[in-house]
Amino acid sequence: MDLRIFTEPQQGATYDTLLTVAKATEDLGFDAFFRSDHYLKMGDVDGLPGPTDAWITLAGLARETRRIRLGTLMTAATFRLPGVLALQVAQVDQMSGGRVELGLGAGWFEEEHTAYGIPFPKEKFGRLEEQLEIVTGLWGTEPGKTFDFHGEYYDLTRSPALPKPAQPKIPVLIGGHGASRTPRLAARFADEFNMPFGSVEDSERQFGRVRAAAEEFGRDADTITLSNALVVCVGKDDREVARRAAAIGREVDELKTNGLAGTPGEVVEKIGRYAETGARRFYLQVLDLHDLDHLELISAEVQSQLS
């Protein structure tokens, strides 16, 4: 059972803060450090000192960590051209010695596109599908050969398909709540399917759709790792849980309903319920990046029980 730390830097974090959390992630035995890929804050926070770019951040962390996996939940296909994205991710994979994973989604937050002059196309899912074909196609092209792609949205001719990642295959993550197109896309391209902020019941339904789509595609469904992303708020007692909930502007009851919140025993029990649906990996959304004691508690009292 993998526990991964998942951060939301657009809510307000410097690179140095992210580096501190990433190093704690590594030192405390977690499997990976992931971050969102957004350029605008959400909700009632100031977002200061402003956004950091996901792949620039991960490039820096690639050189300053040694063991943990590094990746995004999710890079927006609207942010980058697919050829450029394939190059960027392959280079960061080289810089990390082969520890990178790419979560790729369609993009959804129109306001951040408007704020930074990024086109926000009406048809996003088709672009995502072509991006997945291109990125994986570039990485999979044999050295010395070229890659061509002629789609509705992108056109590549005689690409040298370089550079190559350090890994034989960079894991690709696809996620979401969509009932039909998303599972089919996962069946074609995903090494991992992530259910973001869904209930146990919703996760079970969506995982079932993904497994069914894989089988229809002629793929062994067990080759797709199933995972959940959930907000985390753990305390050694009810008082500490309440303090941590207040620090992130959330209510304890709401967090217990919609995330992994409570004492270590309560959180382990909730993880077990998700595991019964097939989940084998959990992205713990940590919203207070300055509370490293929180990570220590999760490592000592939650992760230790799962391993």
Side-chain angles (χ1 to χ4, degrees), residues 279-295:
R280 293 294 175 265
R281 183 171 290 158
F282 292 86
Y283 293 82
L284 309 181
Q285 185 196 43
V286 176
L287 295 176
D288 185 351
L289 298 181
H290 299 286
D291 186 2
L292 298 183
D293 290 342
H294 191 196
L295 299 187

Side-chain angles (χ1 to χ4, degrees), residues 56-244:
I56 291 177
T57 297
L58 295 176
L61 298 180
R63 306 303 291 177
E64 300 197 70
T65 58
R66 293 291 175 265
R67 178 189 58 80
I68 51 173
R69 308 289 294 176
L70 301 166
T72 51
L73 283 182
M74 300 283 187
T75 286
T78 48
F79 285 174
R80 298 169 177 85
L81 296 171
V84 175
L85 179 61
L87 189 157
Q88 290 172 320
V89 177
Q91 183 178 3
V92 178
D93 194 54
Q94 291 177 355
M95 294 168 69
S96 72
R99 294 183 285 123
V100 159
E101 303 184 11
L102 171 63
L104 188 60
W108 61 271
F109 190 12
E110 184 173 5
E111 189 175 347
E112 68 184 334
H113 293 72
T114 303
Y116 285 95
I118 303 168
F120 190 71
K122 182 177 180 180
E123 174 48 60
K124 294 179 287 297
F125 202 91
R127 292 173 185 271
L128 171 61
E129 186 171 8
E130 289 193 11
Q131 286 225 1
L132 286 162
E133 290 190 51
I134 292 166
V135 169
T136 58
L138 288 168
W139 291 339
T141 298
E142 294 181 18
K145 295 186 177 182
T146 58
F147 176 80
D148 291 79
F149 180 87
H150 307 292
E152 183 176 352
Y153 306 103
Y154 303 104
D155 197 288
L156 287 74
T157 301
R158 295 190 58 78
S159 171
L162 296 172
K164 297 301 183 193
Q167 299 175 83
K169 185 181 189 309
I170 291 179
V172 172
L173 290 73
I174 293 172
H177 294 256
S180 57
R181 297 176 75 182
T182 297
R184 291 198 297 270
L185 205 63
R188 289 182 60 196
F189 294 106
D191 299 283
E192 177 178 337
F193 180 81
N194 180 262
M195 183 63 169
F197 311 111
S199 68
V200 172
E201 295 75 19
D202 288 342
S203 297
E204 185 172 27
R205 280 190 290 270
Q206 188 70 331
F207 291 160
R209 295 182 186 119
V210 170
R211 295 180 67 85
E215 290 168 2
E216 289 176 14
F217 190 69
R219 179 177 175 185
D220 181 357
D222 290 337
T223 62
I224 302 177
T225 299
L226 302 174
S227 65
N228 286 92
L230 294 159
V231 63
V232 67
C233 180
V234 186
K236 63 180 182 292
D237 52 35
D238 290 344
R239 179 185 233 173
E240 192 167 84
V241 174
R243 176 176 65 78
R244 288 201 164 107

